[in-house]
């Protein structure tokens, strides 16, 4: 539950709402808009799927039960995610959605291959938690309501299963333990419900220390200006901590905060730093507190493994032989092993280092895939846990014995009778854009039984400071393996993973250059014999939703439709209505709408202002409680595009936020997407 710098609009929307947001007869489209109040009459037949009471459905034809049956098991991949080690036992805290459950919850896994024991049982998804680091008697977890991201911190007693609220109700809070494991630091920012007419004053971050067993025993450590503060990490002895101040994806700072007085001092960037802007992430203290291990892009394009020495105030780089980002690190409790995940062109590599010498140790043999949530066991200091997924397996938890190199699988995902080991691996493809720059993407082709040039779904990630990587495609596997659609996930300019310069290429008034990358992709597809340039569709969530709308504005004559999930339709209205704690962070990326020149550009390129040019059919999906991209962004584009006479399907969930977290909602959303694809992409 350590706060992190994931401040983009969205990351991987195929998972965020289980599309990683995780030919049959074509149904006749309803002539009139289907309102939620008319659902019982319209969907009364036994051979159609009835939307649940939390869904508002407009313009979407009836979903047949045969379609739901066909999608079936592809909607029920249930993997596991590592959360935390028990402080003394060989046990884990994990997150998992149990069979028949609507949302993910926390479980205690007693041993490798053992049966998980559920410890939370709420209507809201629970994906993060921390064991009591002294004895493991309780856990600390966070929970919001209906996806509103007003996350509250609770203590859960593992014997009684009683929960106690630890944070203030009207804040967005996160928590991390001090080094001694005796107190919890809660970082909280106020919520102003801007989109609902709340206040718009400048907000800050409050740091509070408390004893979770005596919540009234608390004190405010510091009031920090602004909201871009993350990665609070205590030094041994707990006299001070370090924190990340996030300005943008290509600019951040490292600060030291005195725990007793709250006074702060900037440590990085170094005074003599040559780069105009630098970034730092992933903090780990050496056992004696003399050094801080982190990743830094101070002197180059990529996040490199580095060591900061407090005595000399110098930065030393440990591994410079790979021109790719280090995405995550973890230092063993004894300080003898430093694990790092290298993102090599969208594929993760786990590497181990001796932190004192910087020498790489024997490279562990880990299956290819995406690696996340690294953590060493606090007692068995050579055992490293992590979550792994790949195109052939959903999330699985492994541990590595760094001495022997032995890899142990702790969990096996439930794949609902489907054998994903037969799913095809992804490949990296590249094309030249309008300015000669090479752009890359992840391409997953259908099985060989599908012959001839294949229809293509272009799935654009959110962020925009995110990256399409080689990983498990979740529900999208149905589109690839059963409908024969090629899945192409572009990393347009502005994506992470390709250096700071590439990240900045779409900032502010350069926004539509990323849209031109999609135009160049359409040109490339026309030259690729495996792909059908006459059957193309775009999809994406959050910023990716903006890219869908912008692509339809510019390339409607080359696209058969678009799927916009929680997308931005107008940057000016978005910046006015997004939660205040995010506004300045987003201005750094999209431009400051208070500047008349910038505002004029944002208004000019707005999909809303150009909605008359959207002639390809559109599916819009949104959560009513979304604090990041408020629902008004969806309502206004739906209204404008419908005025063109263009078909618009619209789905709203009253109990969701920035993506669909509940299986029942995600299922109906995916059924709608499949029906949309079958009608507009696959049908003649």
């Amino acid at each position: 539950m350590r706060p992190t710098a994931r401040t983009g609009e969205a990351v991987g929307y195929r998972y965020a709402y289980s599309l990683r947001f995780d030919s049959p007869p074509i149904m006749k489209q309803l002539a009139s808009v289907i309102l939620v109040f008319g659902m019982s009459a319209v969907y009364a037949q036994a051979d159609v799927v009835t939307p649940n009471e939390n869904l508002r459905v407009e313009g979407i034809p009836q979903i047949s039960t045969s379609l739901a049956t066909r999608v079936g098991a592809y909607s029920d991949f249930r993997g596991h995610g590592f959360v935390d080690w028990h402080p003394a036992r060989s046990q884990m805290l994990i997150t998992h959605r149990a069979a028949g459950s609507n949302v993910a919850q926390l479980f205690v896994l007693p041993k490798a291959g053992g049966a998980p024991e559920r410890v939370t049982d709420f209507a809201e998804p629970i994906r993060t938690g921390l064991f009591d680091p002294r004895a493991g008697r309780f856990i600390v977890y966070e929970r919001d309501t209906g996806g509103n991201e007003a996350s509250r911190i609770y203590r859960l007693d593992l014997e009684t299963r009683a929960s106690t609220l630890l944070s203030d109700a009207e804040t967005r809070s996160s928590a991390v333990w001090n080094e001694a494991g005796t107190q919890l630091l809660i970082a909280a920012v106020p919520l102003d419900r801007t989109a609902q007419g709340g206040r718009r004053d400048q907000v800050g971050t409050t740091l509070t220390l408390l004893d979770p067993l005596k919540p009234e025993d608390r004190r405010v450590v510091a009031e920090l200006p602004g909201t871009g503060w993350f990665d609070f990490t205590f030094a041994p002895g707990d006299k001070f901590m370090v924190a990340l101040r996030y300005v943008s994806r290509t600019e951040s700072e490292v600060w030291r905060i005195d725990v007793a007085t709250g006074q702060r001092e900037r440590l990085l960037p170094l005074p003599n730093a040559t780069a105009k802007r630098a970034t730092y992430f992933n903090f780990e203290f050496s056992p004696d507190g003399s050094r801080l291990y982190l990743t830094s892009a101070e002197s180059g394009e990529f996040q490199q493994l580095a060591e900061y020495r407090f005595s000399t105030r110098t930065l030393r780089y440990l591994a410079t032989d790979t021109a790719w980002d280090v995405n995550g690190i973890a230092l063993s409790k004894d300080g003898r092993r430093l694990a790092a995940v290298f993102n090599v062109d969208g594929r993760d590599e786990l590497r181990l280092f001796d932190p004192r010498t910087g020498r790489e140790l024997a490279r562990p043999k880990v299956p290819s895939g995406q690696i996340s949530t690294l953590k060493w066991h606090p007692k068995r200091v050579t055992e490293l846990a992590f979550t792994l997924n790949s195109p052939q397996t959903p999330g699985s938890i492994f541990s590595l014995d760094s001495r022997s190199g032995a890899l142990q699988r702790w969990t096996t995902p439930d794949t609902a009778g489907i054998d994903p080991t037969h799913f095809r691996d992804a490949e990296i493809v590249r094309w030249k854009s309008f300015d000669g720059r090479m752009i890359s993407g992840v391409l997953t082709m259908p099985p060989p039984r599908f012959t001839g040039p294949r229809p293509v779904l272009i799935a654009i990630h959110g962020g925009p400071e995110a990256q399409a990587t080689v990983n498990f495609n979740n529900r999208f596997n149905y589109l690839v393996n059963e409908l024969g659609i090629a899945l192409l996930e572009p990393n347009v300019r502005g994506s992470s993973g390709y250096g700071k310069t590439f990240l900045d290429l779409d900032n502010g008034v350069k926004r539509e250059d990323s849209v031109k990358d999609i135009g160049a992709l359409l040109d490339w597809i026309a030259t690729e014999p495996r792909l059908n340039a006459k059957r193309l569709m775009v999809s994406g969530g959050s910023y990716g939703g903006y890219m869908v709308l912008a692509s339809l504005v510019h390339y409607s004559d080359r696209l058969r439709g678009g799927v916009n999930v929680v997308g931005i339709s107008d940057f000016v209205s978005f910046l006015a209505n997004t939660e205040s704690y995010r506004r300045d962070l987003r201005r750094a990326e999209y431009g400051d709408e208070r500047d008349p020149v910038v505002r004029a550009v944002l208004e000019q390129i707005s999909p809303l202002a150009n909605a008359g040019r959207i002639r390809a059919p559109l599916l819009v999906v949104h959560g009513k409680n979304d604090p990041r991209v408020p629902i008004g962004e969806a309502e206004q584009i739906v209204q404008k595009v419908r005025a063109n006479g263009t078909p618009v399907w619209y789905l709203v969930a009253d109990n969701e936020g920035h993506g669909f977290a509940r299986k029942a909602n995600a299922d109906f959303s995916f059924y709608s997407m499949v029906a949309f694809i079958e009608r507009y992409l696959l049908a003649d």
Side-chain angles (χ1 to χ4, degrees), residues 16 39 176 182 185 234-235 428 451 497 633:
M39 285 294 108
V176 63
T182 57
L185 180 78
F234 283 84
I428 305 299
T451 59
E633 294 298 303

Side-chain angles (χ1 to χ4, degrees), residues 1-228:
M1 283 171 47
R2 177 184 292 176
T4 61
R6 293 180 59 184
T7 57
E9 297 310 318
V11 177
Y13 259 77
R14 289 183 291 122
Y15 288 91
Y17 78 117
S18 297
L19 299 182
R20 185 150 179 194
F21 167 50
D22 207 353
S23 96
I26 303 302
M27 296 171 290
K28 184 178 181 182
Q29 186 177 16
L30 295 181
S32 60
V33 173
I34 302 173
L35 298 177
V36 66
F37 301 106
M39 285 294 108
S40 59
V42 177
Y43 288 98
Q45 299 93 330
D47 61 346
V48 299
V49 178
T50 303
N52 68 68
E53 64 278 5
N54 295 300
L55 297 177
R56 173 159 57 98
V57 183
E58 297 181 1
I60 300 177
Q62 295 181 12
I63 304 298
S64 69
T65 53
S66 63
L67 185 154
T69 300
R70 284 189 285 113
V71 172
Y74 285 90
S75 293
D76 205 25
F77 294 119
R78 294 183 294 106
H80 305 78
F82 174 76
V83 176
D84 197 14
W85 280 111
H86 190 281
R89 304 171 191 162
S90 182
Q91 295 182 352
M92 291 179 177
L93 187 65
I94 68 172
T95 183
H96 174 62
R97 183 179 61 79
S101 177
N102 201 28
V103 294
Q105 296 293 305
L106 295 180
F107 293 74
V108 170
L109 186 61
K111 61 179 181 179
E117 177 190 358
R118 188 198 300 251
V119 294
T120 64
D121 191 9
F122 300 107
E124 306 295 338
I126 311 294
R127 297 191 182 92
T128 61
L130 297 168
F131 270 115
D132 157 30
R134 288 169 291 181
R137 295 167 296 172
F138 60 88
I139 62 172
V140 174
Y141 67 92
E142 64 181 57
R143 187 177 84 224
D144 69 4
T145 302
N148 64 1
E149 299 189 15
S151 50
R152 302 178 181 182
I153 308 300
Y154 295 84
R155 183 193 77 231
L156 175 72
D157 186 280
L158 288 175
E159 287 192 7
T160 66
R161 303 296 166 87
S163 289
T164 303
L165 179 64
L166 301 178
S167 63
D168 293 334
E170 291 303 314
T171 62
R172 184 176 190 266
S173 300
S174 56
V176 63
W177 285 103
N178 67 354
E179 183 68 16
T182 57
Q183 289 188 306
L184 199 68
L185 180 78
I186 294 180
V189 297
L191 297 173
D192 61 12
R193 308 292 194 274
T194 305
Q196 288 75 42
R199 66 182 186 278
R200 302 191 182 201
D201 52 322
Q202 182 66 40
V203 295
T205 303
T206 301
L207 304 184
T208 303
L209 268 179
L210 58 85
D211 180 346
L213 295 175
K214 301 176 182 178
E216 67 281 358
D217 181 13
R218 64 177 66 203
R219 71 176 180 88
V220 173
V221 174
E223 297 280 359
L224 304 178
T227 60

Side-chain angles (χ1 to χ4, degrees), residues 12 47 60-62 98 140 144 205 264-265 294 305 353 380 383 405 415 425 457 465 520 539 558 583 650 676 682:
D47 61 346
I60 300 177
Q62 295 181 12
V140 174
D144 69 4
T205 303
R264 60 186 183 275
E265 171 193 16
L294 69 159
L305 196 59
F353 296 86
R380 297 188 309 282
E383 188 171 9
T415 58
D425 199 3
L457 178 66
E465 319 98 315
S539 73
R558 304 171 69 180
R583 189 172 295 116
Y650 186 33
F676 186 82
L682 302 182

Side-chain angles (χ1 to χ4, degrees), residues 185-504:
L185 180 78
I186 294 180
V189 297
L191 297 173
D192 61 12
R193 308 292 194 274
T194 305
Q196 288 75 42
R199 66 182 186 278
R200 302 191 182 201
D201 52 322
Q202 182 66 40
V203 295
T205 303
T206 301
L207 304 184
T208 303
L209 268 179
L210 58 85
D211 180 346
L213 295 175
K214 301 176 182 178
E216 67 281 358
D217 181 13
R218 64 177 66 203
R219 71 176 180 88
V220 173
V221 174
E223 297 280 359
L224 304 178
T227 60
W229 296 89
F230 306 97
D231 262 354
F232 300 98
T233 306
F234 283 84
D238 289 324
K239 291 185 178 180
F240 70 93
M241 65 179 114
V242 294
L244 169 74
R245 179 177 175 264
Y246 184 99
V247 179
S248 73
R249 189 58 180 83
T250 56
E251 184 177 3
S252 61
E253 302 168 347
V254 181
W255 288 73
R256 175 163 56 183
I257 301 173
D258 188 292
V259 175
T261 66
Q263 292 183 337
R264 60 186 183 275
E265 171 193 16
R266 198 184 82 172
L267 302 178
L268 296 169
L270 296 169
N272 60 349
T274 57
K276 292 182 179 180
R277 291 191 293 173
T279 51
Y280 313 91
F281 300 105
N282 306 298
F283 303 149
E284 294 279 352
F285 274 100
S286 64
D288 64 0
S290 66
R291 287 156 288 147
L292 180 70
Y293 296 100
L294 69 159
T295 64
S296 167
E298 182 172 285
S299 62
E301 285 286 314
F302 295 94
Q303 290 296 130
Q304 296 179 299
L305 196 59
E307 173 198 79
Y308 176 82
R309 290 183 178 267
F310 288 92
S311 59
T312 59
R313 300 205 171 205
T314 55
L315 200 62
R316 176 175 71 110
Y317 290 96
L318 275 64
T320 58
D321 61 330
T322 303
W324 299 101
D325 282 333
V326 179
N327 279 352
I329 65 173
L331 183 68
S332 62
K333 194 71 173 178
D334 61 2
R336 299 177 63 182
R337 298 165 187 85
L338 183 64
V341 175
F342 286 74
N343 170 14
V344 181
D345 204 11
R347 295 179 186 269
D348 284 349
E349 293 181 359
L350 178 63
R351 298 167 65 177
L352 301 177
F353 296 86
D354 180 331
R356 286 191 171 272
T357 65
R359 180 176 61 89
E360 183 176 359
L361 305 176
R363 192 168 298 188
K365 296 180 179 180
V366 176
S368 176
Q370 187 181 54
I371 300 169
S372 60
T373 327
L374 299 175
K375 189 167 186 178
W376 297 90
H377 194 284
K379 299 296 184 183
R380 297 188 309 282
V381 294
T382 62
E383 188 171 9
L384 176 71
F386 56 90
T387 303
L388 172 75
N389 78 68
S390 75
Q392 291 78 37
T393 179
S396 302
I397 300 172
F398 290 84
S399 68
L400 171 73
D401 186 322
S402 60
R403 286 180 299 191
S404 67
L407 192 68
Q408 184 172 39
R409 178 189 282 271
W410 282 66
T411 64
T412 300
D414 190 325
T415 58
I418 295 176
D419 182 3
T421 61
H422 298 301
F423 293 171
R424 296 184 72 171
D425 199 3
E427 59 184 281
I428 305 299
V429 295
R430 291 179 171 83
W431 61 94
K432 187 176 291 187
S433 194
F434 69 97
D435 57 354
R437 186 174 297 273
M438 295 302 294
I439 307 297
S440 68
V442 181
L443 174 64
T444 305
M445 290 297 296
R449 72 176 186 276
F450 292 100
T451 59
R454 303 315 309 157
V456 183
L457 178 66
I458 301 169
I460 309 171
H461 65 70
E465 319 98 315
Q467 181 187 16
T469 60
V470 177
N471 50 44
F472 191 68
N473 285 325
N474 214 323
R475 283 179 168 89
F476 274 31
N477 282 303
Y478 176 80
L479 307 178
V480 175
N481 294 290
E482 304 300 334
L483 298 185
I485 297 171
L487 177 65
L488 207 168
E489 304 167 84
N491 282 310
V492 298
R493 64 192 66 210
S495 301
S496 62
Y498 306 96
K500 291 189 297 186
T501 299
F502 194 81
L503 266 170
D504 278 346

